[in-house]
Amino acid sequence: MDTLTFEQAVEKATGVSIDTLRNTPIEVRRAEVERAKGSKTSYRSYYPLVGRGSVLRDRVVDHDKIEKEFLKAIHE
Protein backbone atom coordinates (compact mmCIF):
# COMPACT_ATOMS: atom_id res chain seq x y z
CA MET A 1 0.00 0.00 0.00
CA ASP A 2 1.44 3.36 -0.93
CA THR A 3 1.47 6.35 1.40
CA LEU A 4 -1.38 8.20 -0.29
CA THR A 5 -3.66 5.14 -0.16
CA PHE A 6 -2.77 4.60 3.50
CA GLU A 7 -3.46 8.25 4.37
CA GLN A 8 -6.81 8.11 2.60
CA ALA A 9 -7.71 4.94 4.52
CA VAL A 10 -6.80 6.62 7.83
CA GLU A 11 -8.87 9.69 6.95
CA LYS A 12 -11.83 7.49 6.03
CA ALA A 13 -11.55 5.41 9.21
CA THR A 14 -11.13 8.37 11.58
CA GLY A 15 -13.19 11.01 9.82
CA VAL A 16 -10.32 13.44 10.42
CA SER A 17 -7.86 14.83 7.88
CA ILE A 18 -4.25 13.65 7.94
CA ASP A 19 -3.05 17.22 8.50
CA THR A 20 -5.29 17.56 11.55
CA LEU A 21 -4.09 14.23 12.92
CA ARG A 22 -0.45 15.18 12.37
CA ASN A 23 -0.84 18.56 14.06
CA THR A 24 -2.95 17.51 17.05
CA PRO A 25 -1.05 16.38 20.16
CA ILE A 26 -1.85 12.78 21.06
CA GLU A 27 -3.25 13.72 24.48
CA VAL A 28 -5.69 16.17 22.85
CA ARG A 29 -6.78 13.56 20.30
CA ARG A 30 -7.25 10.96 23.03
CA ALA A 31 -9.37 13.40 25.07
CA GLU A 32 -11.55 14.09 22.01
CA VAL A 33 -12.06 10.37 21.39
CA GLU A 34 -12.83 9.68 25.06
CA ARG A 35 -15.33 12.56 25.14
CA ALA A 36 -17.03 11.23 21.99
CA LYS A 37 -17.13 7.65 23.36
CA GLY A 38 -18.12 8.74 26.84
CA SER A 39 -15.47 6.52 28.44
CA LYS A 40 -11.74 6.32 29.03
CA THR A 41 -9.47 4.67 26.50
CA SER A 42 -8.29 1.25 27.58
CA TYR A 43 -5.66 -1.08 26.22
CA ARG A 44 -5.56 -4.84 26.34
CA SER A 45 -2.52 -7.02 26.56
CA TYR A 46 -2.53 -10.26 24.62
CA TYR A 47 0.96 -11.19 25.78
CA PRO A 48 2.40 -13.73 25.08
CA LEU A 49 0.01 -14.41 22.21
CA VAL A 50 0.79 -11.23 20.24
CA GLY A 51 4.07 -9.39 20.34
CA ARG A 52 6.46 -9.26 23.23
CA GLY A 53 4.14 -7.40 25.58
CA SER A 54 5.11 -5.02 28.30
CA VAL A 55 8.23 -5.92 30.23
CA LEU A 56 6.70 -4.05 33.19
CA ARG A 57 3.41 -5.90 32.98
CA ASP A 58 3.21 -6.88 36.66
CA ARG A 59 4.47 -3.47 37.84
CA VAL A 60 2.17 -1.15 35.86
CA VAL A 61 0.37 1.44 38.01
CA ASP A 62 -2.65 3.37 36.79
CA HIS A 63 -2.70 7.15 36.47
CA ASP A 64 -5.17 7.74 39.32
CA LYS A 65 -3.01 5.84 41.82
CA ILE A 66 0.10 7.81 40.79
CA GLU A 67 -1.77 11.11 41.17
CA LYS A 68 -2.95 10.15 44.68
CA GLU A 69 0.55 9.11 45.72
CA PHE A 70 2.02 12.30 44.28
CA LEU A 71 -0.47 14.54 46.11
CA LYS A 72 0.13 12.64 49.34
CA ALA A 73 3.91 13.08 48.96
CA ILE A 74 3.81 16.83 48.32
CA HIS A 75 1.37 17.55 51.15
CA GLU A 76 3.33 15.70 53.82
Side-chain angles (χ1 to χ4, degrees):
M1 176 183 297
D2 64 36
T3 303
L4 180 60
T5 304
F6 177 74
E7 289 177 352
Q8 289 171 340
V10 170
E11 287 179 340
K12 184 177 179 180
T14 63
V16 180
S17 75
I18 288 294
D19 288 334
T20 300
L21 291 172
R22 283 188 179 125
N23 295 317
T24 304
I26 190 73
E27 64 272 11
V28 173
R29 182 70 185 136
R30 186 183 73 213
E32 291 170 352
V33 170
E34 289 175 349
R35 196 169 25 258
K37 282 180 27 179
S39 63
K40 285 188 166 187
T41 303
S42 63
Y43 301 92
R44 291 187 180 185
S45 171
Y46 292 99
Y47 176 79
L49 301 176
V50 178
R52 129 183 122 90
S54 171
V55 295
L56 299 174
R57 182 176 193 176
D58 59 340
R59 293 180 287 195
V60 174
V61 180
D62 70 19
H63 179 79
D64 293 332
K65 182 171 181 174
I66 295 295
E67 286 295 315
K68 286 177 189 172
E69 292 294 322
F70 172 72
L71 291 172
K72 180 180 169 185
I74 64 171
H75 292 297
E76 287 184 350

